[in-house]
């Protein structure tokens, strides 16, 4: 009779453990199946007169996976274009409020929520024999979902002091950070293992108590 009473419990507990472990993975699979088509590669929207090809991005971005963003920009040519637009613009309609002549010497930086950016501060312009200036950053997404990064230029004009450059948005990067199952397991897997061991220990202890009571009843 004791075996019959224990049978439902023995069936329910493994089912409960399997549900706890499998439900998150099933939900993740369904989410990818239904919403995966909405994911898109990084897109670049330029805010100043420069081609989007000056910014190099990966085709896919994953949570916790660092990737590199590079910027190759002819700052002298860009300064000429901006100055030409400013001269032809009516007062108050200048691009991003730039109303003075700017110089080719620029700094560049990237900002964005939910990202770790290295280096975080604006980088100075490195002069070389090449026509273009090269900047690079290592970016690590900390959360999954849709986010934006802003590539900013810090420019000197005829009215700005050397320590207070004028800031302008060069480009806006729209990207979707895909889920990273391996990183998710490293972060949360230990909690599922601990929970499984806790339930298994509780079940084993309860079985031992019932077995002792059964043995005592049989001996009486």
């Amino acid at each position: 009779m004791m075996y019959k009473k224990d049978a439902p419990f023995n069936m329910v507990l493994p089912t409960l453990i399997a549900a706890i472990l499998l439900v998150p993975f099933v939900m993740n699979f369904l989410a990818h199946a239904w919403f995966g088509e909405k994911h898109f590669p990084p897109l670049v929207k330029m805010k100043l007169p420069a081609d989007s090809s000056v910014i190099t991005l990966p085709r896919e971005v994953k949570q916790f996976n660092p990737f590199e963003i590079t910027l190759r920009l002819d700052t002298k040519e860009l300064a000429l274009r901006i100055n030409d637009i400013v001269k032809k613009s009516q007062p108050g309609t200048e691009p991003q409020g730039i109303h003075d002549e700017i110089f080719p010497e620029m700094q560049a930086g990237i900002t964005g929520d939910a990202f770790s950016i290295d280096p975080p501060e604006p980088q100075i312009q490195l002069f070389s024999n090449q026509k273009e200036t090269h900047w690079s950053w290592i970016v690590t997404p900390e959360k999954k979902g849709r986010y934006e990064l802003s590539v900013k230029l810090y420019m000197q004009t005829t009215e700005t002091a050397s320590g207070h450059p004028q800031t302008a948005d060069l480009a806006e990067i729209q990207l979707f950070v895909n889920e990273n199952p391996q990183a998710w397991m490293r972060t949360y897997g230990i909690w599922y293992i601990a929970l499984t061991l806790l339930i298994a220990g509780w079940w084993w202890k309860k079985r031992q108590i019932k077995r002792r009571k059964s043995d005592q009843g049989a001996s009486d």
Side-chain angles (χ1 to χ4, degrees):
M1 298 295 295
M2 185 61 66
Y3 175 80
K4 292 182 179 179
K5 291 181 181 179
D6 291 344
F9 178 80
N10 294 339
M11 295 175 62
V12 169
L13 185 63
T15 304
L16 179 62
I17 295 175
I20 292 174
L21 295 176
L22 292 178
V23 165
F25 297 99
V26 173
M27 293 179 65
N28 180 61
F29 173 79
L30 292 176
H32 279 287
W34 285 96
F35 302 107
E37 68 276 3
K38 295 185 179 180
H39 300 182
F40 54 86
L43 301 174
V44 178
K45 181 180 179 181
M46 303 305 295
K47 300 294 188 69
L48 290 176
D51 192 88
S52 61
S53 61
V54 300
I55 299 175
T56 303
L57 297 166
R59 290 289 301 170
E60 184 182 21
V61 176
K62 285 188 176 182
Q63 185 182 13
F64 303 125
N65 272 13
F67 63 92
E68 184 179 26
I69 295 180
T70 61
L71 171 62
R72 295 182 180 275
L73 187 63
D74 186 341
T75 57
K76 184 176 181 180
E77 178 64 27
L78 178 61
L80 290 174
R81 292 180 183 177
I82 295 176
N83 290 332
D84 185 57
I85 293 174
V86 170
K87 289 178 181 178
K88 296 177 180 179
S89 300
Q90 296 295 326
T93 63
E94 300 91 349
Q96 301 192 44
I98 302 173
H99 56 272
D100 304 311
E101 183 180 357
I102 66 170
F103 303 119
E105 293 76 19
M106 303 178 185
Q107 296 184 24
I110 293 181
T111 60
D113 297 331
F115 294 92
S116 173
I117 301 172
D118 183 31
E121 66 280 350
Q123 297 186 71
I124 63 173
Q125 183 173 344
L126 300 177
F127 293 95
S128 65
N129 295 328
Q130 297 181 351
K131 186 178 180 181
E132 299 173 336
T133 299
H134 175 264
W135 290 276
S136 66
W137 299 266
I138 299 299
V139 180
T140 304
E142 297 176 346
K143 297 180 181 180
K144 64 178 181 178
R146 288 177 171 80
Y147 295 99
E148 295 179 357
L149 289 168
S150 180
V151 182
K152 298 181 178 295
L153 293 179
Y154 301 81
M155 304 177 295
Q156 299 294 332
T157 73
T158 53
E159 291 190 4
T160 56
S162 59
H164 299 83
Q166 179 165 345
T167 304
D169 292 328
L170 172 66
E172 177 186 282
I173 302 173
Q174 300 178 357
L175 47 80
F176 187 93
V177 180
N178 293 296
E179 188 176 19
N180 191 336
Q182 292 85 2
W184 186 91
M185 282 299 299
R186 288 195 300 268
T187 304
Y188 301 104
I190 188 172
W191 295 106
Y192 281 92
I193 295 173
L195 180 61
T196 302
L197 293 176
L198 182 64
I199 294 176
W202 172 80
W203 173 79
W204 180 83
K205 185 175 183 179
K206 195 171 184 66
R207 287 284 299 167
Q208 292 297 317
I209 294 174
K210 286 189 175 182
R211 186 172 297 175
R212 290 172 186 172
K213 289 182 179 179
S214 178
D215 293 342
Q216 289 178 358
S219 61
D220 293 342

